[in-house]
Amino acid sequence: MNLSFFDQFMSPHLLGIPLILISLLFPALLFPSPRNRWMTNRISTLQSWFIYTITKQLMTPLNKKGHKWALILSSLMIFLLSINLLGLLPYTFTPTTQLSMNLALAFPLWLATLLTGLRNQPSASLGHLLPEGTPTPLIPALIMIETTSLLIRPLALGVRLTANLTAGHLLIQLISTATAVLFSIMPAISILTACVLLLLTILEVAVAMIQAYVFVLLLSLYLQENI
């Protein structure tokens, strides 16, 4: 019984072929391709407005040098948002519940922001490891602490996204299982549990959107420190 709750986080296979790549590519099919027309349909207009809003929100704190990252960060935001929301549908697989995938997204982008700072302003980037006015006896300890906090940033990004989505999916499955079991025994309690399940599903939709935004926002903040 306990093992079945975690079966939803296993990568599906068909004839021994992992289907996670299809899960990653499928969200791109939902977005309409741009057309060279002045007048577009409502979906394209909504898509353009959504991308513009995301890009403006992410690029506002950055200077012009950081605007080169607009395409990468906006694409990552839409990618994570689509996967998180599609993963809430029944009988679907959510790739962002896999820690390996989230670390594969977080580590290269974090490393790119770090190398950007070391290349453009090495003194300022290394200066973050030692706050100004630190007493001399505390300098070695603070350097070690700041270096550790810097190195665990990609791990924190991946674990945060994985833990929040995994916990939400487990809660939904637990409450839905309880609703189905109690329906024939205590219908009134089952209806109450179904109401809780509905509210939890709405909450998980919000969590899926917020976690995608937080993931990209933290990357933009790391970039802001290094440009």
Side-chain angles (χ1 to χ4, degrees):
M1 182 76 176
N2 293 332
L3 293 177
S4 63
F5 287 142
F6 292 91
D7 289 344
Q8 59 177 320
F9 304 117
M10 297 175 61
S11 178
H13 290 74
L14 180 62
L15 300 177
I17 302 174
L19 301 181
I20 188 172
L21 292 178
I22 299 178
S23 302
L24 296 176
L25 296 176
F26 182 73
L29 302 177
L30 300 178
F31 290 92
S33 58
R35 299 178 181 179
N36 296 325
R37 296 180 180 179
W38 285 102
M39 298 296 293
T40 57
N41 55 24
R42 291 184 177 89
I43 297 179
S44 298
T45 304
L46 181 63
Q47 175 190 359
S48 300
W49 172 83
F50 183 68
I51 295 176
Y52 170 78
T53 303
I54 292 175
T55 306
K56 181 180 178 182
Q57 194 74 19
L58 294 175
M59 295 296 109
T60 299
L62 304 178
N63 55 23
K64 291 184 178 180
K65 293 182 180 180
H67 293 177
K68 300 176 182 179
W69 290 65
L71 180 61
I72 297 176
L73 296 180
S74 300
S75 301
L76 180 62
M77 172 72 181
I78 296 173
F79 175 72
L80 292 176
L81 184 62
S82 303
I83 289 181
N84 292 349
L85 292 178
L86 289 174
L88 294 174
L89 297 175
Y91 303 104
T92 55
F93 173 68
T94 311
T96 45
T97 56
Q98 306 297 311
L99 182 60
S100 57
M101 176 188 162
N102 295 334
L103 289 179
L105 291 174
F107 183 77
L109 293 173
W110 166 82
L111 185 61
T113 60
L114 184 62
L115 294 179
T116 300
L118 292 176
R119 184 189 65 179
N120 296 335
Q121 46 180 13
S123 299
S125 297
L126 295 176
H128 292 299
L129 301 179
L130 184 62
E132 187 177 356
T134 304
T136 303
L138 297 179
I139 288 179
L142 279 179
I143 291 179
M144 294 179 61
I145 293 173
E146 292 296 331
T147 303
T148 304
S149 65
L150 178 66
L151 295 178
I152 65 173
R153 281 181 174 181
L155 181 62
L157 281 176
V159 171
R160 181 186 295 107
L161 182 59
T162 304
N164 282 280
L165 295 181
T166 302
H169 283 65
L170 283 175
L171 279 175
I172 289 177
Q173 185 168 0
L174 285 170
I175 296 179
S176 60
T177 303
T179 303
V181 171
L182 293 174
F183 184 75
S184 58
I185 304 174
M186 293 178 288
I189 302 298
S190 177
I191 294 174
L192 180 61
T193 310
C195 295
V196 175
L197 178 62
L198 177 61
L199 296 176
L200 180 62
T201 303
I202 297 174
L203 176 63
E204 283 306 310
V205 171
V207 169
M209 299 173 66
I210 292 172
Q211 289 304 315
Y213 177 72
V214 168
F215 189 92
V216 181
L217 179 63
L218 289 177
L219 283 175
S220 67
L221 293 179
Y222 300 157
L223 178 63
Q224 184 181 359
E225 293 180 357
N226 293 282
I227 58 175

